Amino acid sequence: MEKLINIISGLSTLIGNTEEEAKEQFNLFQLTSHQMHYLETIHLLDNPNITELALQLRLSKPTVKVAIDKLIEKEYVYKIRSDEDRRSAHLHLTEKGKLINHMHEYAHKRIAETILRKLNNDELKTLEDLLTKVLVDK
Amino acid sequence: MEKLINIISGLSTLIGNTEEEAKEQFNLFQLTSHQMHYLETIHLLDNPNITELALQLRLSKPTVKVAIDKLIEKEYVYKIRSDEDRRSAHLHLTEKGKLINHMHEYAHKRIAETILRKLNNDELKTLEDLLTKVLVDK
DNA sequence: GTTTGTAGTTAGTAGAAACTAACTATATTT
DNA sequence: AAATATAGTTAGTTTCTACTAACTACAAAC
């Protein structure tokens, strides 16, 4: 188990650093880590309304409202009023807002490249199968 | 490559979520994510002084100084004045501050357990060998 | 159709987190 | 030894981040 934990630690560092670098690449356009987290959570929850977002982030609705207003102002997010419940509005990422996902994709691609550089075809196939086994149904 | 990227994405999510959960476990003792990042960076830089820490975090020295004062107050960090340059002081984590590392270790252990549950001995050995190959000398 | 509930907003406030400018104390350079 | 530079600190300010209380508009329950 000791060895496995060390490997996971290494993997965690590799992924963390690569994501960090990717953020810096994309960070040219001014966003705080908090604001990035908002964008990620909107993506994760698949267009939540303010109440759902506040719940997930464990913040009050006014706090989230103010933060979202700034992201709307900066054109990372827009609102669509719900037809089913006209009190409510769903949050969507603009193209600019979706860059946050591209950022993660970019990081993952870079890690994939590292792996491809280190392994031959057979090894790659084996690694994919094993990791798939690890990841299925959580 | 597509398949590999998806696997990495899954792995990244698994690690991210597990670290997140671990943080919540340990979060009983009041620390903001910013403050945790300070502790992690002090560990990463291996007892930096204020100037080095500010440089790494890309913040001004007064900002970092104020933040560190609070962490000292709360007994997560202490300072040792340098003998070589008596203007300077190095930052150290207290036992309480080192919990931040235990937190990561705890997350990694939990991931290891997930893997052990999914794979048999042969598969585990193969996975370890392959990932070791991926991780060596970056 | 009146009451009660819910989504979102507005206003006001408190504390945290960032900055610049200017200071003290120690080191280094000339 | 005087001038310059560097580490850390202090003071003052601005912006960000969070909250509660109270409001509007719509929905649901009675």
Side-chain angles (χ1 to χ4, degrees), chain B residues 49 51 61-62 65 79 87-89:
Chain B
N49 59 29
T51 302
K61 288 195 289 176
K65 195 266 183 185
K79 281 194 276 198
R87 287 170 305 179
S88 176

Side-chain angles (χ1 to χ4, degrees), chain B residues 104-117:
Chain B
H104 290 294
E105 283 161 25
Y106 170 73
H108 298 157
K109 191 173 172 204
R110 291 218 26 223
I111 294 167
E113 284 163 0
T114 302
I115 294 177
L116 288 174
R117 233 183 303 119

Side-chain angles (χ1 to χ4, degrees), chain B residues 28-68:
Chain B
L28 305 168
F29 57 109
Q30 235 63 345
L31 282 178
T32 67
S33 61
H34 273 174
Q35 289 177 318
M36 286 200 202
H37 195 217
Y38 273 90
L39 298 183
E40 285 168 349
T41 308
I42 289 171
H43 177 67
L44 174 74
L45 296 183
D46 200 18
N47 307 326
N49 59 29
I50 295 264
T51 302
E52 290 160 350
L53 184 56
L55 213 69
Q56 172 80 21
L57 295 171
R58 296 197 212 157
L59 295 171
S60 72
K61 288 195 289 176
T63 297
V64 173
K65 195 266 183 185
V66 169
I68 290 298

Side-chain angles (χ1 to χ4, degrees), chain B residues 9-136:
Chain B
S9 177
L11 209 54
S12 174
T13 303
L14 173 64
I15 293 176
N17 289 346
T18 312
E19 296 253 9
E20 206 51 45
E21 279 169 36
K23 261 182 198 170
E24 281 172 28
Q25 293 289 326
F26 282 77
N27 218 351
L28 305 168
F29 57 109
Q30 235 63 345
L31 282 178
T32 67
S33 61
H34 273 174
Q35 289 177 318
M36 286 200 202
H37 195 217
Y38 273 90
L39 298 183
E40 285 168 349
T41 308
I42 289 171
H43 177 67
L44 174 74
L45 296 183
D46 200 18
N47 307 326
N49 59 29
I50 295 264
T51 302
E52 290 160 350
L53 184 56
L55 213 69
Q56 172 80 21
L57 295 171
R58 296 197 212 157
L59 295 171
S60 72
K61 288 195 289 176
T63 297
V64 173
K65 195 266 183 185
V66 169
I68 290 298
D69 279 352
K70 280 177 198 156
L71 288 170
I72 289 172
E73 165 81 25
K74 291 187 176 183
E75 298 188 308
Y76 289 98
V77 172
Y78 62 98
K79 281 194 276 198
I80 295 185
R81 203 172 182 189
S82 168
D83 275 339
E84 286 132 42
D85 183 341
R86 293 175 51 67
R87 287 170 305 179
S88 176
H90 291 274
L91 302 171
H92 294 253
L93 300 181
T94 63
E95 282 312 308
K96 213 166 131 195
K98 285 179 188 165
L99 279 174
I100 194 80
N101 306 319
H102 298 330
M103 194 184 75
H104 290 294
E105 283 161 25
Y106 170 73
H108 298 157
K109 191 173 172 204
R110 291 218 26 223
I111 294 167
E113 284 163 0
T114 302
I115 294 177
L116 288 174
R117 233 183 303 119
K118 298 289 180 61
L119 302 183
N120 66 36
N121 275 349
D122 283 352
E123 290 170 332
L124 177 61
K125 176 82 174 64
T126 309
L127 181 63
E128 286 178 348
D129 289 346
L130 289 173
L131 287 178
T132 301
K133 203 159 174 180
V134 167
L135 290 171
V136 281

Side-chain angles (χ1 to χ4, degrees), chain A residues 49 51 61-62 65 79 87-89:
Chain A
N49 59 30
T51 302
K61 289 195 288 176
K65 197 267 185 185
K79 280 195 277 198
R87 287 170 305 179
S88 175

Side-chain angles (χ1 to χ4, degrees), chain A residues 24-68:
Chain A
E24 280 171 28
Q25 292 288 327
F26 283 77
N27 217 350
L28 306 168
F29 56 109
Q30 236 63 343
L31 283 178
T32 67
S33 61
H34 273 173
Q35 290 176 318
M36 285 199 203
H37 195 218
Y38 273 89
L39 298 183
E40 285 168 352
T41 308
I42 289 171
H43 177 68
L44 174 74
L45 296 184
D46 201 17
N47 307 327
N49 59 30
I50 295 263
T51 302
E52 290 160 350
L53 185 57
L55 213 70
Q56 172 78 21
L57 295 171
R58 296 196 212 159
L59 295 171
S60 72
K61 289 195 288 176
T63 297
V64 173
K65 197 267 185 185
V66 169
I68 290 297

Side-chain angles (χ1 to χ4, degrees), chain A:
Chain A
M1 177 121 181
E2 205 50 47
K3 189 180 175 190
L4 181 57
I5 291 179
N6 281 330
I7 289 171
I8 290 164
S9 177
L11 209 54
S12 174
T13 303
L14 173 64
I15 292 176
N17 288 347
T18 312
E19 295 253 9
E20 205 52 45
E21 279 169 38
K23 261 183 198 170
E24 280 171 28
Q25 292 288 327
F26 283 77
N27 217 350
L28 306 168
F29 56 109
Q30 236 63 343
L31 283 178
T32 67
S33 61
H34 273 173
Q35 290 176 318
M36 285 199 203
H37 195 218
Y38 273 89
L39 298 183
E40 285 168 352
T41 308
I42 289 171
H43 177 68
L44 174 74
L45 296 184
D46 201 17
N47 307 327
N49 59 30
I50 295 263
T51 302
E52 290 160 350
L53 185 57
L55 213 70
Q56 172 78 21
L57 295 171
R58 296 196 212 159
L59 295 171
S60 72
K61 289 195 288 176
T63 297
V64 173
K65 197 267 185 185
V66 169
I68 290 297
D69 280 352
K70 279 177 199 158
L71 288 171
I72 289 173
E73 164 83 24
K74 291 186 178 184
E75 299 189 307
Y76 289 99
V77 172
Y78 63 97
K79 280 195 277 198
I80 294 186
R81 204 173 180 189
S82 168
D83 275 338
E84 287 132 43
D85 184 342
R86 292 174 54 66
R87 287 170 305 179
S88 175
H90 291 276
L91 302 172
H92 294 253
L93 300 182
T94 62
E95 282 311 308
K96 214 166 129 195
K98 286 179 188 165
L99 279 174
I100 195 82
N101 306 320
H102 298 330
M103 194 184 76
H104 289 294
E105 283 162 24
Y106 171 73
H108 298 158
K109 192 174 170 200
R110 289 217 28 221
I111 293 167
E113 284 163 358
T114 302
I115 293 176
L116 288 174
R117 233 183 303 120
K118 297 288 180 60
L119 302 183
N120 66 36
N121 276 348
D122 284 353
E123 290 170 331
L124 178 61
K125 177 80 175 64
T126 309
L127 180 64
E128 285 177 348
D129 290 346
L130 289 173
L131 287 179
T132 300
K133 204 161 175 178
V134 167
L135 291 172
V136 281
D137 72 62
K138 194 162 182 177

